[in-house]
């Protein structure tokens, strides 16, 4: 049960002049703990401070965990922001992927920084609080299996009373200010610089969904995020053509991979699956010998993908392993995807299987001891091969900066070869709409053809000829 106290001390309001907005902070102390609230103008701050001062002078009890007069809280939900976020992560955990769980934790960790109730000079450093949230509190599996680690236990106990009531987000005046502070924080990196648009929008969706959950469970009467105008950052939705390699560059890159010694020899076909078959890295990782349904000696083969194995980190999987088997991206559970095996890829796969065989579980690509290739291993080989294969100008450009760019090259090649978008979308595991939107800039030659047709259509007499 929340405790109360009559030990209250008021401080002089503070003014913070930012580059665009001036904020007025009201500060007060309840039973030794400092609290503060932001306001947009001096009148609001003075009114709020006067109300607190009047309650203290009238002998009203203040809540130790809220910092406010008890009379103010009688008709409001008492769930703290921290308690709300724990309930939300627990509710989402069974229904979202490990990577989505990690994304939720990242967004809520940022948001919690501006929902702390005490003064900036708290008992713990910012990085310590963030680590306790991300490394334990927001992992529903870890929180359910064990007590927090010894070096985090005190921080976790402190967090239970360190955040303001979630209901403050819908209070007149201060609610909008708090909500804007949340949106501003998730739009920035730890160092205060502007975050990538995709990151900001993804975290904004998490925050909005958490507020919807608060409304569904009766913690909040309305979603405060929807009541605040926020300019959505523009995101880059198309693949940059500069990352797409041509066939000569791809051959040089694969040859440089092979030249990286025994590790490279095991990874030539690994990267070739991305370049020739547009597989995602997590799909190549999971590929089994049984998925290679047709491997003729000549011509085209075929593979049938069933699952992927993305890397999420041990905190976010149900098994506690860094990778966990998932259904194919954008596919229903049990759905499969057939992909043709290019003759060049076919030969590379046959050589690979002859030289190394399959793992104990049928996995096509395994390390020397039969285990999964660690991400840092194949990334190290790829980076070294890229430096060796490309000219200084190419290496200094975005060209094939990451292995995922090999998938982009495959899809772009199929489209530029004239393969119909529905077929390309099926092979790549996209919808046609997403395919055309994402790869719009990578379809070479279409602009010149379009210009030629427009020029023909606007020649004198063209219209009359068409009407005859």
């Amino acid at each position: 049960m929340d405790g109360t106290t009559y030990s209250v001390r008021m401080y002089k309001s503070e003014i913070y002049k930012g580059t665009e907005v001036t904020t007025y902070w009201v500060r007060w102390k309840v039973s030794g703990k400092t609290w503060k609230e932001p306001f947009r103008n001096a009148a609001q701050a003075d009114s709020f401070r006067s109300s607190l001062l009047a309650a203290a002078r009238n002998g009203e009890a203040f809540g130790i965990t809220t910092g406010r007069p008890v009379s103010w809280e009688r008709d409001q939900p008492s769930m703290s922001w921290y308690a709300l976020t724990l309930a939300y992560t627990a509710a989402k955990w069974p229904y979202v992927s490990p990577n989505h769980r990690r994304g939720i934790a990242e967004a809520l960790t940022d948001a919690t920084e501006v929902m702390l109730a005490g003064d900036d000079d708290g008992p713990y450093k910012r990085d310590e609080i963030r680590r306790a949230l991300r490394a334990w509190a927001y992992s529903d599996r870890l929180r359910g299996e064990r007590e927090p680690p010894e070096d985090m236990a005190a921080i976790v106990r402190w967090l239970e009373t360190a955040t303001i009531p979630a209901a403050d987000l819908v209070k007149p005046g201060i609610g909008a200010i708090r909500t804007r502070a949340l949106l501003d924080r998730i739009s920035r990196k730890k160092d205060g610089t502007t975050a990538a648009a995709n990151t900001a929008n993804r975290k904004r969706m998490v925050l909005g969904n958490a507020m919807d959950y608060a409304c569904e469970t009766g913690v909040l009467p309305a979603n405060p995020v929807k009541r605040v105008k926020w300019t959505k950052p523009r995101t880059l939705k198309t693949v940059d053509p500069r990352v797409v390699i041509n066939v000569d560059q791809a051959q040089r890159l694969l040859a440089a991979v092979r030249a990286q010694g025994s590790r490279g020899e095991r990874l030539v076909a690994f990267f070739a699956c991305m370049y020739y078959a547009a597989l995602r890295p997590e799909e190549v990782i999971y590929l089994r010998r049984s998925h290679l349904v047709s491997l003729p000696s000549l011509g085209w083969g075929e593979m049938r993908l069933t699952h992927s194995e993305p890397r999420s980190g041990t905190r976010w999987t149900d098994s506690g392993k860094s990778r966990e088997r998932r259904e194919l991206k954008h596919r229903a559970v049990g759905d499969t995807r057939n992909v043709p095996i290019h003759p060049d890829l076919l030969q590379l796969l046959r050589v690979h299987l002859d030289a190394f065989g399959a793992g104990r579980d049928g996995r096509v690509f395994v390390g020397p001891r039969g285990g999964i290739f660690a991400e840092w291993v194949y990334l190290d080989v790829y980076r070294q091969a890229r430096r060796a294969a490309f000219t200084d100008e190419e290496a200094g450009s975005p060209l094939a900066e990451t292995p995922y760019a090999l998938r982009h090259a495959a899809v772009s090649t199929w489209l530029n070869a004239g393969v119909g978008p529905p077929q390309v979308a099926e092979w790549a595991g996209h919808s046609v709409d997403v395919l055309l939107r994402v790869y719009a800039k990578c379809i070479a030659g279409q602009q010149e053809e379009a210009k030629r047709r427009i020029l023909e259509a606007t020649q004198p007499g063209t219209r009359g000829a068409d009407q005859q």
Side-chain angles (χ1 to χ4, degrees), residues 330-342:
H330 305 309
R331 300 270 172 151
V333 175
D335 200 359
T336 61
R337 186 171 98 240
N338 285 13
V339 184
I341 301 178
H342 187 282

Side-chain angles (χ1 to χ4, degrees), residues 261-371:
S262 59
R263 292 194 310 173
E265 292 172 356
R266 285 180 175 270
L267 287 169
V268 176
F270 180 94
F271 293 119
C273 283
M274 300 181 202
Y275 175 69
Y276 287 110
L279 267 60
R280 300 177 174 92
E282 60 266 28
E283 293 169 345
V284 186
I285 288 287
Y286 187 77
L287 191 66
R288 299 302 202 264
R289 177 62 182 84
S290 60
H291 299 157
L292 306 177
V293 295
S294 175
L295 283 179
S297 56
L298 295 173
W300 289 78
E302 186 176 37
M303 64 177 72
R304 181 177 298 118
L305 306 180
T306 63
H307 295 87
S308 67
E309 204 165 7
R311 183 183 181 279
S312 309
T314 59
R315 300 168 189 162
W316 315 114
T317 61
D318 292 318
S319 63
K321 297 179 180 179
S322 62
R323 293 184 180 271
E324 192 166 81
R325 189 180 79 167
R326 299 286 300 176
E327 61 274 8
L328 295 173
K329 191 172 183 179
H330 305 309
R331 300 270 172 151
V333 175
D335 200 359
T336 61
R337 186 171 98 240
N338 285 13
V339 184
I341 301 178
H342 187 282
D344 290 350
L345 174 59
L346 178 73
Q347 297 307 315
L348 291 174
L349 285 170
R350 290 176 66 91
V351 169
H352 176 88
L353 290 171
D354 288 343
F356 306 110
R360 292 184 295 272
D361 56 357
R363 196 183 297 268
V364 174
F365 298 106
V366 294
R369 298 182 181 180

Side-chain angles (χ1 to χ4, degrees), residues 145-162:
E145 287 180 352
R146 66 192 76 152
E147 293 297 315
E150 185 175 344
D151 60 336
M152 300 181 194
I155 302 174
V156 170
R157 287 193 298 269
W158 172 77
L159 280 167
E160 293 173 356
T161 59

Side-chain angles (χ1 to χ4, degrees), residues 112-388:
T112 300
E113 287 188 12
V114 297
M115 294 297 280
L116 295 174
D119 195 17
D120 289 339
D121 299 325
Y124 301 104
K125 296 179 180 178
R126 176 189 181 195
D127 286 344
E128 293 176 326
I129 297 171
R130 291 181 61 87
R131 180 169 174 268
L133 291 169
R134 289 202 58 198
W136 188 83
Y138 290 149
S139 171
D140 190 64
R141 179 180 61 79
L142 293 179
R143 201 170 65 247
E145 287 180 352
R146 66 192 76 152
E147 293 297 315
E150 185 175 344
D151 60 336
M152 300 181 194
I155 302 174
V156 170
R157 287 193 298 269
W158 172 77
L159 280 167
E160 293 173 356
T161 59
T163 60
I164 68 172
D168 279 14
L169 291 170
V170 294
K171 284 185 176 180
I174 63 172
I177 295 173
R178 282 285 185 183
T179 304
R180 284 192 177 279
L182 285 175
L183 293 172
D184 180 71
R185 177 60 190 89
I186 64 173
S187 302
R188 300 184 181 278
K189 302 177 184 178
K190 281 177 60 178
D191 61 6
T193 58
T194 303
N198 284 328
T199 300
N201 288 334
R202 173 174 54 80
K203 292 181 178 180
R204 162 65 172 75
M205 291 178 64
V206 171
L207 190 60
N209 191 257
M211 296 301 100
D212 284 339
Y213 171 81
C215 295
E216 293 170 4
T217 55
V219 176
L220 296 178
N223 186 331
V225 173
K226 295 180 180 178
R227 298 164 65 178
V228 173
K229 291 184 178 180
W230 185 66
T231 302
K232 183 178 180 181
R234 293 185 177 182
T235 59
L236 182 64
K237 297 181 179 180
T238 58
V239 171
D240 186 346
R242 295 177 300 169
V243 310
V244 178
I245 59 176
N246 60 38
V247 63
D248 293 332
Q249 292 164 336
Q251 293 297 332
R252 277 190 274 144
L253 181 61
L254 292 177
V257 169
R258 184 181 289 106
Q260 298 297 313
S262 59
R263 292 194 310 173
E265 292 172 356
R266 285 180 175 270
L267 287 169
V268 176
F270 180 94
F271 293 119
C273 283
M274 300 181 202
Y275 175 69
Y276 287 110
L279 267 60
R280 300 177 174 92
E282 60 266 28
E283 293 169 345
V284 186
I285 288 287
Y286 187 77
L287 191 66
R288 299 302 202 264
R289 177 62 182 84
S290 60
H291 299 157
L292 306 177
V293 295
S294 175
L295 283 179
S297 56
L298 295 173
W300 289 78
E302 186 176 37
M303 64 177 72
R304 181 177 298 118
L305 306 180
T306 63
H307 295 87
S308 67
E309 204 165 7
R311 183 183 181 279
S312 309
T314 59
R315 300 168 189 162
W316 315 114
T317 61
D318 292 318
S319 63
K321 297 179 180 179
S322 62
R323 293 184 180 271
E324 192 166 81
R325 189 180 79 167
R326 299 286 300 176
E327 61 274 8
L328 295 173
K329 191 172 183 179
H330 305 309
R331 300 270 172 151
V333 175
D335 200 359
T336 61
R337 186 171 98 240
N338 285 13
V339 184
I341 301 178
H342 187 282
D344 290 350
L345 174 59
L346 178 73
Q347 297 307 315
L348 291 174
L349 285 170
R350 290 176 66 91
V351 169
H352 176 88
L353 290 171
D354 288 343
F356 306 110
R360 292 184 295 272
D361 56 357
R363 196 183 297 268
V364 174
F365 298 106
V366 294
R369 298 182 181 180
I372 301 176
F373 260 112
E375 187 175 33
W376 70 267
V377 172
Y378 75 74
L379 287 178
D380 183 59
V381 169
Y382 184 84
R383 289 163 184 156
Q384 292 188 46
R386 184 178 180 275
R387 287 194 295 269

Side-chain angles (χ1 to χ4, degrees), residues 420-426 429-438:
Q423 182 61 78
V424 174
E426 172 64 23
H430 274 307
S431 68
V432 175
D433 176 64
V434 169
L435 175 80
L436 294 178
R437 184 171 69 249
V438 171

